[in-house]
């Protein structure tokens, strides 16, 4: 499942971030996306609590529109634009959940959306993006080709670039999931989210610090794509890592603003290998009957692998998405 | 997925049924199981409504305890027993959802449960039954061996036999799902449930006739196990059919009391082949992110295949269960 096509868009996050988003930005995002995004339910399971030895509260972002939390950030970015800018549309380069989320967000505002995808992207994902009304632009599966294609679309249309996770509007939008979770279910000892580029995790850290400072925030990162873990250890971003994981949504390198936010909020990263992630996914499918994707299951995997860290605690887990490639399931289960 | 081990328990329903259950029995069952069973949610999907051309309300019995509606009937049977009878325990022969449901129901009352399973039953299913605290009794995978083993357990322990779908207490319990659906969401033009042995469908028919007589009740049956369809056409039970379908919960032959109830309530049976069922399953997994089993997806399949019958209507679908054999998924998707 690890292919170059999933990496290009995420390999070159902006080196010089704009101002970091704040909790006020999260609050503004919550108001802005409320008419469009689902306030997703929080799921419980007695069986999983017993297995984990703690109290698990699952924020069900796989039931978010377009099937992932990504819609929150994309929607906030789209509805943050002044009318004149919005009219020129938005553009991104992502063949994954962000591409579909931005396409749907643009449709909620009735503006054009352009998505640059490598010609070898998964057909089902491209079909989903097209179904939401976006225009696809095909390019070679290299970083240079993608950036060139994206720049060409911007030059030609004046569309606004919305990066999947370094964009401050996107980070603020992702922080609204934790806002709902903390508002809905009160005090938590810990929040755990998956870590790829860091949009969801840094947004969560902003929210937790403001709403519930005693809550510890953890990122769950694939052992085979542990650049976030290494970056926080080393104190500077590690950019030379080649990801190898079944978590196709977590292959991106930690973004610069995301890194700054994780450091500032003392977020800790826990690793899980793919076998543990697929085992957690199977467990959740079987017990909760919810079709989450591997990039979501990793958050449960790290909790199960670190029982002593969470023993007896009240733990919130963000189930980030449910866009599973059903044609690749046999390979997924065989890999564990 | 079609194996003799799944058929034995269901091939010889009682030839002479006891008194047929009535709506009063359904009401009594609802009160009896309320402390133990989940009142499952009703799910909606704009996308699926658009695809089906009607308004679909999904009663989420895959989120029922033990993962299927079967817990309702099993729980009603267990809690119907006088104390002295209950103390001797219950017994059934089913390696599927009913076996697990009866085991869990017995545990809610703290009484013994015996489940006769063929020695070639799926290991994961036997483990689930054992995890709920039941005693497994292995036998040869023939109908005669099963019935003999069951009789031996009864003789030895005095345990009460609870048949998966001909038992009047079981039928009344299954009727509580429709009771919740009709009570929760008001008037429906149609209710659709899967049809195997007919416990769920006949219970649904009893409830609908009493609560909402104008609501049409439909059974969804595999084209490869269409004994229910043939029985209603012919006006007598067709018992010589050898089932061949991926819907492992629907391979049983229509029971005698179930047949009588379906006739009395003029229930209509619609067929779907396995390809249509697997397509509906994939659609539901992808869109609703809910892990339903093939035996549930068939109800959606028949609605999608009969658009003109349901056009513009308000349709309730009972998603009967979510116990999917994840190790057999590759074969499942390849078969479509």
């Amino acid at each position: 499942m690890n292919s170059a096509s999933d990496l290009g868009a995420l390999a070159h996050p902006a080196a010089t971030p704009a101002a970091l988003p704040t909790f006020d930005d999260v609050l503004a995002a919550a108001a802005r996306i409320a008419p469009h995004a689902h306030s997703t339910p929080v799921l419980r399971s007695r069986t999983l609590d017993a297995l984990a030895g703690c109290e698990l509260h699952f924020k069900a972002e796989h039931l978010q529109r377009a099937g992932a939390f990504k819609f929150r950030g994309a929607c906030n970015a789209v509805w943050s634009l002044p009318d004149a800018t919005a009219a020129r549309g938005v553009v991104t380069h992502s063949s994954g959940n962000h591409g579909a989320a931005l396409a749907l967000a643009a449709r909620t505002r009735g503006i054009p959306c352009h998505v640059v995808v490598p010609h070898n992207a998964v057909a089902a994902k491209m079909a989903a993006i097209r179904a939401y009304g976006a225009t696809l632009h095909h390019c070679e599966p290299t970083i240079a080709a993608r950036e060139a294609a994206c720049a060409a679309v911007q030059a030609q249309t004046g569309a606004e670039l919305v990066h999947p996770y370094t964009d401050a509007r996107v980070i603020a939008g992702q922080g609204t999931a934790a806002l709902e979770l903390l508002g809905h279910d009160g005090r938590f000892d810990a929040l755990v989210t998956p870590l790829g580029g860091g949009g969801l995790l840094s947004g969560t850290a902003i929210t937790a610090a403001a709403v519930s400072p005693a809550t510890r925030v953890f990122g769950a990162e694939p052992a085979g794509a542990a650049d976030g873990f290494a970056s926080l250890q080393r104190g500077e971003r590690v950019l030379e890592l080649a990801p190898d994981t079944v978590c196709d949504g977590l292959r991106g390198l930690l973004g610069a603003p995301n890194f700054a936010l994780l450091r500032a909020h003392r977020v800790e990263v826990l690793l899980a290998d793919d076998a543990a992630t697929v085992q957690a996914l199977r467990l959740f499918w079987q017990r909760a009957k919810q079709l989450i994707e591997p990039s979501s299951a990793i958050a449960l995997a790290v909790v199960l692998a670190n029982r002593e860290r969470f023993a007896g605690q009240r733990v919130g887990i963000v189930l980030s998405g449910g866009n599973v490639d059903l044609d690749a399931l046999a390979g997924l289960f065989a890999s564990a």
Side-chain angles (χ1 to χ4, degrees), chain A:
Chain A
M1 296 179 71
N2 183 4
S3 72
S5 65
D6 290 315
L7 302 176
L10 312 176
H12 276 193
T16 335
L20 296 177
T22 66
F23 184 58
D24 281 346
D25 295 321
V26 176
L27 291 175
R32 201 174 281 126
I33 72 175
H36 311 291
H38 293 323
S39 176
T40 53
V42 176
L43 308 178
R44 304 290 319 276
S45 163
R46 280 180 281 195
T47 308
L48 293 176
D49 283 0
L51 279 171
C54 61
E55 198 182 287
L56 299 172
H57 298 249
F58 296 96
K59 179 67 171 164
E61 286 296 298
H62 64 298
L63 304 179
Q64 185 53 265
R65 293 184 73 183
F69 75 95
K70 294 279 186 182
F71 183 69
R72 296 176 179 272
C75 194
N76 187 48
V78 160
W79 287 93
S80 294
L81 300 173
D83 284 347
T85 313
R88 294 193 294 268
V90 287
V91 59
T92 196
H93 43 133
S94 156
S95 53
N97 288 337
H98 176 68
L102 190 66
L104 179 58
R107 199 175 70 177
T108 65
R109 195 165 178 184
I111 64 173
C113 178
H114 303 272
V115 181
V116 173
V117 294
H119 58 65
N120 61 354
V122 175
K125 291 187 174 180
M126 291 194 285
I129 294 171
R130 203 182 286 114
Y132 287 130
T135 304
L136 288 179
H137 300 265
H138 296 274
C139 68
E140 293 298 309
T142 67
I143 295 162
R146 282 194 182 199
E147 296 190 340
C150 221
V153 171
Q154 285 182 270
Q156 195 185 329
T157 62
E160 175 90 355
L161 179 67
V162 181
H163 188 277
Y165 53 82
T166 63
D167 190 300
R169 301 160 297 195
V170 168
I171 295 172
Q174 317 306 33
T176 61
L179 187 65
E180 288 174 13
L181 182 57
L182 292 169
H184 177 271
D185 277 290
R187 197 188 59 79
F188 282 90
D189 299 298
L191 294 184
V192 186
T193 89
L195 170 57
L200 177 61
L201 185 57
S202 58
T204 299
I206 293 169
T207 297
V211 174
S212 177
T215 301
R216 297 275 293 137
V217 177
F218 295 88
E221 192 174 44
D227 64 291
F229 181 84
S231 298
L232 290 174
Q233 289 255 313
R234 195 183 295 182
E236 62 178 358
R237 286 168 67 223
V238 173
L239 299 174
E240 64 270 21
L241 208 139
D244 177 14
T245 173
V246 297
C247 300
D248 56 338
L250 306 181
R251 293 178 190 146
L253 293 174
L254 182 61
N258 314 88
F259 173 67
L261 286 162
L262 299 193
R263 286 191 83 185
H265 291 296
R266 296 200 183 82
V267 170
E268 189 175 342
V269 177
L270 301 172
L271 301 179
D273 62 24
D274 282 356
T277 295
V278 173
Q279 200 176 353
L281 178 134
R282 289 179 64 117
L283 182 67
F284 201 78
W285 283 25
Q286 284 168 329
R287 289 298 174 168
K289 314 296 182 195
Q290 301 296 299
L291 202 83
I292 58 169
E293 59 186 83
S295 304
S296 298
I298 193 171
L300 174 59
V302 302
V303 172
L304 292 172
N306 294 274
R307 288 175 57 97
E308 74 292 346
R309 293 291 296 271
F310 299 103
Q313 296 188 6
R314 202 155 182 275
V315 179
I317 289 181
V318 182
L319 298 174
S320 49
N323 293 323
V324 175
D325 181 359
L326 297 183
D327 293 316
L329 280 183
L332 180 66
F333 289 148
S335 73

